[in-house]
Amino acid sequence: MPTRRLPLATLLAGVAALFSAAATQASDLGFSARMPVSSYSDAGLAIATDTWSGSYIGASIGGRTAGDLDLDFHDYGLTAGAQIGYLQQLGMFVLGAEVQGLWTDELHYALTPGAGLEQDWSIAAKGRAGVALGNLLIYGTGGAVFSELKPTGGASSQADWHTGAVFGGGVEHKLGDNLSLRAEYLQTRFFGVDSVAGVARDDDLVNHSVTAGLNYSF
């Protein structure tokens, strides 16, 4: 399989441009940002307004690469998918859970010069925890991921589903009562994958993704 290279800076710039364009589009459509209004307790202390509680559904797009995350993406692929989840705000803290499915174009794990594994789909069940600063949410996320890995080249293992760990973080910004934009980084790891390339061997596989997402809350 030919190797394609895309500078990391180019992909990040593209995600940032998508984030900016979506925000501009939302503004053009008349969505106004809802600034949370603080109420005050009898002691005179500010109490954060609940801005983030509720269910949401959305879509994400970006790039994903296998191996090390360096200045260039090796064997990079476009990744896109959808997510559904729920958030609960407790003062300035936000907790929640999300299920996300992502498709990736030719995500390839090289095992030997002539053998590897390829991943097309993944489904992740993740927890989310963060801090709300008005319309801005800064969060971390982590959980389990399930993906089908298919042999390529000289790999003689069978296509099979594997369970791994996923973790990362991001920022999300409210555009109005129902829409929000987010940028997210995720690292996915599969441990002890049984991959046979002439001899029996186990491999730990890793991939990285950077995506921009648009969520609709309800």
Side-chain angles (χ1 to χ4, degrees):
M1 177 181 297
T3 300
R4 296 172 291 178
R5 296 174 181 266
L6 182 69
L8 177 59
T10 300
L11 180 61
L12 294 179
V15 171
L18 178 63
F19 199 95
S20 176
T24 302
Q25 180 68 18
S27 177
D28 292 342
L29 291 175
F31 293 105
S32 60
R34 181 183 64 182
M35 297 303 294
V37 178
S38 296
S39 58
Y40 290 85
S41 67
D42 294 338
L45 300 176
I47 302 174
T49 299
D50 190 343
T51 302
W52 291 94
S53 293
S55 302
Y56 64 89
I57 189 169
S60 295
I61 188 170
R64 182 181 279 188
T65 183
D68 296 330
L69 184 65
D70 51 25
L71 295 179
D72 290 323
F73 272 120
H74 300 274
D75 297 318
Y76 76 93
L78 173 71
T79 189
Q83 60 269 353
I84 185 169
Y86 179 81
L87 295 175
Q88 179 65 53
Q89 185 168 349
L90 305 170
M92 66 181 298
F93 299 104
V94 178
L95 300 175
E98 176 179 289
V99 175
Q100 183 180 46
L102 288 175
W103 166 84
T104 302
D105 176 33
E106 298 181 357
L107 179 63
H108 184 72
Y109 302 95
L111 304 178
T112 69
L117 295 172
E118 186 173 279
Q119 174 185 330
D120 293 326
W121 287 94
S122 65
I123 300 172
K126 303 178 293 181
R128 297 179 69 189
V131 175
L133 305 174
N135 282 341
L136 181 68
L137 174 62
I138 303 172
Y139 67 91
T141 183
V145 63
F146 311 92
S147 296
E148 184 183 28
L149 302 178
K150 300 179 292 185
T152 62
S156 57
S157 60
Q158 299 297 315
D160 199 4
W161 285 83
H162 295 270
T163 303
V166 60
F167 55 91
V171 293
E172 188 165 353
H173 189 273
K174 284 281 189 179
L175 300 176
D177 289 344
N178 301 108
L179 288 180
S180 62
L181 272 174
R182 77 182 190 186
E184 184 175 80
Y185 162 77
L186 293 176
Q187 182 178 142
T188 302
R189 289 184 172 269
F190 300 97
F191 302 99
V193 175
D194 180 17
S195 52
V196 182
V199 294
R201 54 183 283 174
D202 290 332
D203 288 277
D204 294 338
L205 309 178
V206 60
N207 72 70
H208 309 264
S209 68
V210 179
T211 60
L214 180 66
N215 287 333
Y216 176 82
S217 59
F218 55 93

